[in-house]
């Protein structure tokens, strides 16, 4: 078998050369992107951390009532936030919510248009599928290496790694929603003289809205699953106490922070579960 390993395909070396080239020639782009991402993160952090925590809780409860129209769900969200305040993880929770909300903004801004374009261009989606598969199956720790190389340490590399891992979900679900629009609906719209833009806005997008919202829900859940991994590159949030508990073998700290992450995930899921709205 030595003859096989002697002719090793230089996958790692080629990747390293690509990253070195990008780092040398694209420094201006990555610096600008870092500034933009940092500004968005700081703005969301300011909104969540400047007011009194109870005011922020009241806003989330009101938003839950507006989306769900169910007092039980609103009560659950209120109790969840009060539990987080009781445990003393408010600052870490707002930092994790900032990472999640930032990832949602970027992923939906990228994923929804790409999903719509892919639904109207089968060849484009066929070409994208291997890339999407690679992005979803490549170990998430691998994303941290180029993120550190291009953006250093902090919230920005954690956000970039999260976006790379999460963005295939809204792309796939938006594509699925648009492409599954019944042909009779499309034919009826075209028969009445609707332009392609009108068909998209008035037929395809309304029909695909449940799938698009499912993509948003998956974006939030997957982003929240990255908080611990993002903490390894200096991102603040609930992942920090988890990593600290792991290093110190601190069962109490790990269990506390882990339960808080679960509570945040369930609250966000219930808030955006529009299928349960009555």
């Amino acid at each position: 078998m030595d003859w096989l390993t002697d002719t090793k395909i230089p996958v790692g070396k080629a990747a390293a050369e690509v990253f070195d080239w990008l780092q040398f020639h694209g420094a201006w782009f990555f610096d600008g992107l870092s500034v933009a991402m940092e500004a968005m993160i700081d703005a969301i952090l300011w909104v969540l951390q400047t007011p009194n925590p109870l005011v922020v809780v009241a806003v989330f409860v009101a938003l839950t009532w507006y989306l769900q129209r169910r007092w039980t769900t609103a009560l659950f969200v209120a109790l969840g936030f009060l539990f987080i305040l009781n445990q003393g993880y408010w600052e870490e929770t707002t930092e994790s919510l900032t990472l999640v909300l930032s990832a949602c903004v970027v992923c939906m801004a990228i994923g929804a248009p790409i999903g719509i374009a892919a639904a109207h261009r089968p060849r484009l989606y066929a070409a994208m599928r291997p890339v999407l598969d690679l992005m979803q199956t490549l170990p998430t720790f691998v994303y941290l290496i180029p993120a550190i190389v291009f953006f250093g340490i902090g919230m920005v590399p954690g956000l970039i790694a999260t976006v790379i891992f999460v963005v295939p979900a809204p792309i796939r679900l938006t594509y699925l929603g648009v492409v599954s629009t019944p042909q009779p609906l499309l034919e009826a719209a075209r028969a009445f003289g609707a332009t392609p833009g009108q068909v998209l806005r008035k037929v395809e997008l309304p029909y695909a809205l449940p799938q698009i919202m499912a993509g948003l829900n998956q974006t939030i859940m997957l982003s929240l699953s990255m908080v611990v991994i993002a903490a390894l590159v200096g991102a603040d949030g609930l992942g920090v106490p988890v990593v600290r508990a792991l290093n110190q073998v601190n069962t109490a700290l790990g269990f506390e922070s882990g339960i808080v992450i679960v509570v945040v995930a369930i609250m966000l899921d219930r808030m955006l579960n529009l299928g349960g709205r009555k």
Side-chain angles (χ1 to χ4, degrees):
M1 296 296 292
D2 292 340
W3 63 270
L4 187 59
T5 56
D6 290 340
T7 56
K8 179 180 178 180
I9 300 174
V11 175
K13 182 179 179 181
E17 290 178 353
V18 169
F19 288 133
D20 290 341
W21 186 90
L22 288 174
Q23 186 180 17
F24 181 77
H25 293 89
W28 60 272
F29 171 77
F30 295 115
D31 290 344
L33 182 61
S34 178
V35 170
M37 294 294 101
E38 207 164 320
M40 179 174 62
I41 291 170
D42 290 342
I44 297 176
L45 267 178
W46 184 87
V47 171
L48 292 177
Q49 293 185 344
T50 301
N52 186 284
L54 294 178
V55 174
V56 179
V57 171
V59 171
F60 273 95
V61 172
L63 179 61
T64 303
W65 171 257
Y66 174 78
L67 293 174
Q68 298 295 334
R69 293 293 194 268
R70 299 179 65 179
W71 69 268
T72 53
T73 307
L75 178 61
F76 174 79
V77 171
L79 293 176
F81 275 115
L82 291 177
F83 171 77
I84 292 170
L85 286 169
N86 173 263
Q87 295 297 304
Y89 284 92
W90 178 252
E91 183 177 352
E92 291 86 353
T93 299
T94 56
E95 290 165 346
S96 290
L97 285 174
T98 297
L99 180 64
V100 171
L101 293 175
S102 301
C104 285
V105 171
V106 177
C107 289
M108 295 307 295
I110 296 174
I114 292 179
I116 293 171
H120 292 96
R121 298 168 179 83
R123 291 184 179 179
L124 173 61
Y125 185 70
M128 287 170 46
R129 284 185 63 184
V131 179
L132 297 177
D133 292 339
L134 176 66
M135 293 169 68
Q136 287 187 303
T137 56
L138 195 68
T140 50
F141 287 97
V142 177
Y143 297 139
L144 301 181
I145 301 171
I148 293 173
V149 170
F150 295 140
F151 301 102
I153 300 296
M155 290 286 280
V156 173
L159 174 59
I160 297 299
T162 300
V163 168
I164 296 173
F165 174 68
V166 173
V167 76
I171 292 177
R172 289 183 187 275
L173 287 167
T174 301
Y175 163 82
L176 180 62
V178 174
V179 81
S180 62
T181 306
Q183 285 300 317
L185 285 179
L186 299 175
E187 292 171 2
R190 296 187 185 108
F192 280 97
T195 64
Q198 291 172 330
V199 171
L200 174 64
R201 294 192 306 272
K202 299 183 178 181
V203 179
E204 292 178 328
L205 288 182
Y207 189 86
L209 184 60
Q211 293 287 351
I212 295 175
M213 291 306 299
L216 176 61
N217 185 283
Q218 287 298 302
T219 298
I220 291 175
M221 294 298 104
L222 292 172
S223 300
L224 198 54
S225 72
M226 287 286 290
V227 296
V228 177
I229 297 175
L232 298 176
V233 292
D236 298 323
L238 292 169
V240 175
V242 174
V243 174
R244 188 183 306 126
L246 180 62
N247 292 332
Q248 300 174 356
V249 196
N250 189 330
T251 305
L253 179 61
F255 194 80
E256 281 182 0
S257 52
I259 289 296
V260 171
I261 292 174
V262 171
V263 170
V264 173
I266 296 175
M267 287 193 304
L268 294 176
D269 179 68
R270 297 298 184 269
M271 286 178 61
L272 293 171
N273 183 20
L274 298 185
R277 177 173 172 174
K278 304 294 184 185

